[in-house]
Every structure is written in C-alpha cells, then in structure tokens.
Amino acid sequence: MDFIAIFSIFVLACFVGYFVVWSVTPALHTPLMSVTNAISSVIIVGALIASAAAGSPLSKWLGLAAVVMASVNIFGGFAVTERMLAMYKKKER
Amino acid sequence: MHEVAPINPWVALAYLVAGVCFILALRGLSSPASSRRGNRFGMAGMTIAVVTTLLTHELANPVEVIGAIAIGAVIGLVMARRIAMTAMPQLVAAFHSLVGLAAVAVAAAAYLNPGAFGIADATGQIFTVSRIEMGLGVAIGAITFSGSVIAFLKLNGNMSGAPIILPLRHVINLGTLAAILGLIGYFLTDQSPAVFWTITALSFLIGFLLIIPIGGADMPVVVSMLNSYSGWAAAAMGFTLHNSAMIITGALVGSSGAILSYIMCRAMNRSFISVIAGGFGADAAAAGGAAKEQRPWKPGSAEDAAFLMSQADNVIIVPGYGMAVAQAQHALREMADMLKKEGVNVKYAIHPVAGRMPGHMNVLLAEANVPYDEVFELEDINNEFAQCDVAFVIGANDVTNPAAKTDKTSPIYGMPVLDVEKAKTVLFVKRSMGGVGYAGVDNDVFYMDQTMMLLGDAKKMADDIVKALGEGH
C-alpha cells in the first residue's frame, strides 16, 4: 500500500471514530476508555513482527518486552471492561 | 514511491476485518444492552489481528513469543480482577503508560531492524516516509508513557495532586517541543542513532513536564487526553507497518480520547489550552476565601432526612466523588430501595465530572447495583429539579453551586451545574461546614431556607437514614 492509500484509511477512520464515539452513552464512558485502551494494544502486531525477526538481538528483546506490555493491556483491558459492563443492570420490573 | 514488500491480499483483508471489529466494539457501547456484545467484537478483532500476524511471520522462537503473551495475560487478568472500581482512573492511566512504552519499544525495534519491517532499502537506509512515521510514533509513545506515569502517581496518591509549577515552564515546554519536531525533521536527512535516541529522550522529558503542572481537579481531562495520545501512537506505528488494523484502531482511539477530553473540558468550563497550561487549583483557595462570612444555616439529623424523603413523591440523589471516597454507594442504594418501597420516585443525577474520569460515577453506582435506567445525565434531568420534592446531595459540592450561573467573579463561573436549589427541599450531606470543594468556593445552597445540612461522614449518614427509615414502620 502506498502512503496515500494508508492515509485515506486513516482519515476516514477518524471520521468513523468521531461519529461512533459521540453515539456512546455517557454512562459508558469509563468502559469506553478501558476498551479503547485494550484495542490500542493492537500495536502488539508490530511487537510480534519485531520479536519474530532475525537480525538484531536488541530489536528482538524490545519486541518481546512490547509483547508483554501489550498483552497486559489486551487481557487486562478487555477483562476489566467485561467486569464493568456486567455490573450495568436494568431495573427489575 | 519506493518499493514496499508485496502484501498478501488475504492478510490485508484479515487486518481490515479486525479494524471493523474494533469499530463495532465501540459502536456496541451506545447502550448498556449491546455493550457486552461490543466488547466481544473487540476481543474477536484482537484475536484475528494477533493470529494473522503469527501465521504470516516466521517465528524465530515460538516459545518465547507465546511465553511473553502468557506473562502479559496473567498480569493483565489479575489486575483486572483485583482493581477496585474507585481505582479505575489509576488503572487506565497505568494501561496507557504501557501502550506508550510498547509503542516506543516497537518504534525502537523497527529503527534497529528496519529490514524486518520492510521499511528500508537494500543498503539499510530507512525510507523517508517511514522516518517521519517512526519519529512521530516514538515521540507520541514516549509522551504517552511518561505523562501517564505522572498521571498514575497523582491519581494513586503517590504524588501530591497539587500542581508543580516550574518557573519558565512554558518556555521550557515549547522549546522542548520545538526541539523534538526539529529533530524529527533532521532525522529525514540523518538516521544516526544519536538523533533517534535524542528524540526519544526529549519526548519522555516533555511528557513528564506537561503533566506535573496539572492539578488533581483536571485529571479527568488528562486521562482522556493520554487516552487520545495512546491512539495516535498506535496509528503512527500503523503507518510504519502499513497495517490497516492499527491505523483504524489508532484513529478510533485517538478521536475517542479527544472527544472525551472535550466533554470533560466543557463540563468544567475550562479551555483545553488552559488545562494543558496547567496550574489549576494552585491559587483557588485565595480566590474563594475572600468573601467568607458567617451565615446562618440549618442543621438536620438522619431522622429528619428520613422523614422528609419518605413523605416526598420525587427524590433526586446527586452523588459526588466524596460519596465514593466514603464508600457510601451501597448504603445509598439501600436507602433508595427503601424509599422506592414507600412509593417514592427516586432518580440519580450525574454531573459529567462527578467522578475522577469520564463516566466514573456511573460505574460506581452500577457496582452498587443501582439500575442504569434510574441514573440520568445533567442535561436530561436538570429541568426536573423544579418539580422534585427533595434533592439529596451526597459527596458533591461544586457541581451544585449556583454561583456558576450568576457570579461572574467565581472561579467556576460558566461551568454547567445541577440546579438543586430549585428543589422544594435540599438535603446536603457534608463532612463539616469548614471544607470547600475542589475549586475552593463557598456554596450558596448551604444557606438557603429550603436547605438542611446533614453534617457527618457520607456512609454513616446514609446508614443512619436507612436505620431511621426502617424504624418508621
């Protein structure tokens, strides 16, 4: 993909983000933060590539360290979001 | 355009699907009913992204990689399970710092081994576009990391919430920012390690410098802002790696954090620039203390409160962070349950900055089993105070202060507030008459004819009211 193609995806995703986030109910803003936290750890993709690549040992170890950090975030972020969302209950009628 | 290693269209498609799953994850949060399905979409997207990467890259040592994921998973799951809901802002700040540091590590790894990422030519020269992306990625990541660490320490109480004001801080900060941008520009012509690591070091420094002057009251904005930065860091790395899942996610998270920062600023009537410039809360005590005079106020007891509320048709509860600090939410919910049994219509009114981060109070009430359809946002409930019999304010102060609407000299002038003074009776639970809120201003509601001050610890007061309501039968 050339830069313009990637940049187009980025700009359009910003617009999608803008509209999707405004539609999030304020009651769920804390879970919104924890789940965005979890998904921004998709950076683990870069960490995996670095840790798998041969050539530079330092690069590999940085990659592995990033894999650990991103995993903490992914598992922790989704789990704590799930825990919070499970608490939201409707009135029993 | 330079040659980029050909990308398998199926792989690109898989990352796109992951990106779409992340959009659906946020979309699910538009209502509590669909929110858990949304979270599952998020997990599915992440699984797709990780599995695709693992399948398409030859793993030098699978044991190490799987081990690293497992270590992270255990730490993350334990943290997620143990954390108290009141400590959620600290947890989120800690998570942000990890995203930031991971971005720095990935950018550094890409810098050290550009061939593995397909961003360098045969002679090891990193492509120009990639250098900008890498430079921005490492800078934003480092700022996110050090800023979040300071935010964590302030929120967790390891560091005073009072702003730390350095002399000439604006000059230092702007100078450092200019130096970072200048070096990223220079990085285009010279990819030597000294340039890259100086950018990294300066970015760590500026993250630290940007957050230390910001006071505790502004932390909701800071946490949202760092949320946004962590997204932009992920997006920058997505550009480096030509990965659509990372770019889509980065854009989503970046906009999300930016919107939340905007909502928090609006709720406090603070401009984004003034929050960033910092120093709020440093001189507030002086501003409010001037006009202090002894004014008569009416004390009340738990029994009085129980009687008044049980006789009411409509009660609106206004909880603030003080309620959560006193751990009064369960007692409060019990009180509401007893009132409901007596036929009283009970609602909760939440100010956007009632907690320590966006939506924090809603989570705390949900944890105490308060149904979410009894909890209303400021703009949805504010005109109901005029028709309500009792407004029960517990642990909140500044967000009920009518001075925000009338007194142009007040430090909180212009901030949207809950119109509790319009209720027939106001019951105001407060530790003592001496203390003032974050902004350090006196609240006229205390001295109004229809106000009864219930002095004491919020949890004990709620417990006593529950007891009094029980004896009423």
Side-chain angles (χ1 to χ4, degrees):
Chain A
M1 280 189 279
D2 64 6
F3 180 76
I4 290 301
I6 299 179
F7 192 65
S8 312
I9 296 177
F10 176 71
V11 171
L12 293 176
C14 284
F15 277 95
V16 172
Y18 179 84
F19 289 108
V20 169
V21 171
W22 273 116
S23 76
V24 171
T25 168
L28 293 176
H29 277 162
T30 296
L32 171 68
M33 290 188 93
S34 60
V35 84
T36 50
N37 218 314
I39 65 174
S40 59
S41 302
V42 70
I43 202 157
I44 194 172
V45 167
L48 289 170
I49 295 173
S51 64
S56 162
L58 179 57
S59 169
K60 187 190 100 172
W61 286 109
L62 281 170
L64 281 175
V67 169
V68 174
M69 290 184 274
S71 304
V72 170
N73 243 333
I74 292 170
F75 286 89
F78 281 125
V80 85
T81 307
E82 191 72 17
R83 193 180 141 203
M84 279 192 274
L85 294 177
M87 299 188 308
Y88 282 81
K89 294 196 185 76
K90 248 190 143 98
K91 212 181 319 196
E92 308 129 21
R93 290 173 211 280
Chain B
M1 229 44 263
H2 46 254
E3 274 312 300
V4 176
I7 295 172
N8 180 340
W10 292 106
V11 174
L13 194 64
Y15 284 130
L16 185 63
V17 172
V20 171
C21 283
F22 294 146
I23 295 174
L24 293 173
L26 300 201
R27 178 73 197 143
L29 293 175
S30 57
S31 90
S34 59
S35 60
R36 295 179 80 182
R37 193 176 59 226
N39 200 32
R40 304 278 155 73
F41 268 118
M43 294 179 197
M46 190 59 75
T47 311
I48 294 171
V50 170
V51 170
T52 306
T53 312
L54 290 177
L55 290 181
T56 51
H57 289 82
E58 210 142 310
L59 293 181
N61 190 341
V63 181
E64 282 175 352
V65 172
I66 304 296
I69 295 178
I71 293 171
V74 171
I75 300 173
L77 291 175
V78 169
M79 281 165 85
R81 179 166 300 196
R82 294 236 178 117
I83 194 77
M85 286 299 146
T86 41
M88 197 52 73
Q90 291 94 299
L91 182 77
V92 167
F95 281 165
H96 287 157
S97 73
L98 289 178
V99 179
L101 198 55
V104 172
V106 173
Y111 171 72
L112 293 168
N113 194 3
F117 290 84
I119 53 169
D121 61 20
T123 62
Q125 287 292 307
I126 302 171
F127 300 135
T128 313
V129 181
S130 301
R131 289 190 201 184
I132 303 177
E133 296 157 355
M134 194 185 280
L136 286 175
V138 77
I140 304 172
I143 294 172
T144 311
F145 171 73
S146 52
S148 300
V149 168
I150 301 299
F152 172 84
L153 293 175
K154 287 197 174 196
L155 287 163
N156 206 32
N158 304 103
M159 192 174 157
S160 159
I164 297 168
I165 310 284
L166 295 176
L168 289 177
R169 68 181 195 280
H170 296 311
V171 178
I172 298 172
N173 290 355
L174 289 175
T176 315
L177 274 179
I180 292 169
L181 291 176
L183 280 171
I184 292 175
Y186 182 64
F187 190 51
L188 298 181
T189 58
D190 178 5
Q191 64 170 35
S192 63
V195 181
F196 182 82
W197 297 115
T198 311
I199 294 173
T200 315
L202 284 177
S203 304
F204 278 126
L205 179 70
I206 190 73
F208 174 76
L209 291 174
L210 279 176
I211 308 301
I212 52 166
I214 301 182
D218 280 339
M219 276 302 140
V221 181
V222 171
V223 175
S224 317
M225 192 177 80
L226 293 166
N227 185 236
S228 181
Y229 289 177
S230 69
W232 303 130
M237 294 322 298
F239 275 102
T240 309
L241 304 181
H242 301 265
N243 183 301
S244 57
M246 278 165 86
I247 292 170
I248 294 174
T249 316
L252 288 178
V253 178
S255 351
S256 166
I259 290 172
L260 291 176
S261 313
Y262 167 77
I263 292 174
M264 288 295 106
C265 282
R266 195 180 52 181
M268 295 192 291
N269 192 38
R270 308 255 296 127
S271 79
F272 196 64
I273 299 295
S274 65
V275 171
I276 302 292
F280 189 61
D283 50 5
K292 205 147 230 175
E293 48 179 316
Q294 281 309 110
R295 283 193 278 173
W297 49 278
K298 197 163 56 179
S301 68
E303 288 75 22
D304 299 334
F307 176 77
L308 276 166
M309 284 194 283
S310 60
Q311 298 301 308
D313 290 326
N314 294 297
V315 171
I316 299 179
I317 299 174
V318 180
Y321 194 68
M323 183 275 298
V325 171
Q327 289 292 324
Q329 53 272 50
H330 290 273
L332 188 67
R333 198 256 311 143
E334 219 178 308
M335 182 188 96
D337 282 350
M338 296 187 78
L339 289 172
K340 280 193 276 180
K341 248 183 239 153
E342 308 225 355
V344 183
N345 183 12
V346 181
K347 288 178 177 173
Y348 296 79
I350 308 280
H351 192 277
V353 292
R356 282 287 152 86
M357 67 187 288
H360 194 196
M361 187 53 67
N362 301 77
V363 174
L364 294 169
L365 291 178
E367 189 191 19
N369 286 322
V370 173
Y372 63 79
D373 40 3
E374 287 176 8
V375 181
F376 296 86
E377 303 301 318
L378 178 130
E379 57 265 39
D380 297 326
I381 199 165
N382 228 2
N383 50 21
E384 288 188 32
F385 280 105
Q387 287 93 48
C388 97
D389 302 294
V390 178
F392 184 82
V393 185
I394 180 162
N397 184 358
D398 293 335
V399 298
T400 65
N401 195 335
K405 289 176 284 192
T406 52
D407 180 4
K408 286 205 169 122
T409 63
S410 171
I412 59 169
Y413 179 72
M415 175 172 127
V417 286
L418 291 157
D419 300 334
V420 291
E421 77 279 2
K422 292 191 179 149
K424 284 199 198 79
T425 306
V426 182
L427 297 174
F428 214 111
V429 181
K430 201 168 177 309
R431 185 168 284 281
S432 70
M433 285 306 283
V436 284
Y438 251 141
V441 282
D442 210 2
N443 190 342
D444 281 338
V445 172
F446 301 160
Y447 314 105
M448 288 179 171
D449 286 340
Q450 77 270 40
T451 304
M452 191 182 268
M453 298 301 296
L454 306 172
L455 297 187
D457 173 72
K459 180 171 187 318
K460 188 167 183 310
M461 185 55 71
D463 279 335
D464 288 348
I465 295 174
V466 167
K467 218 179 289 166
L469 282 170
E471 283 160 6
H473 285 281

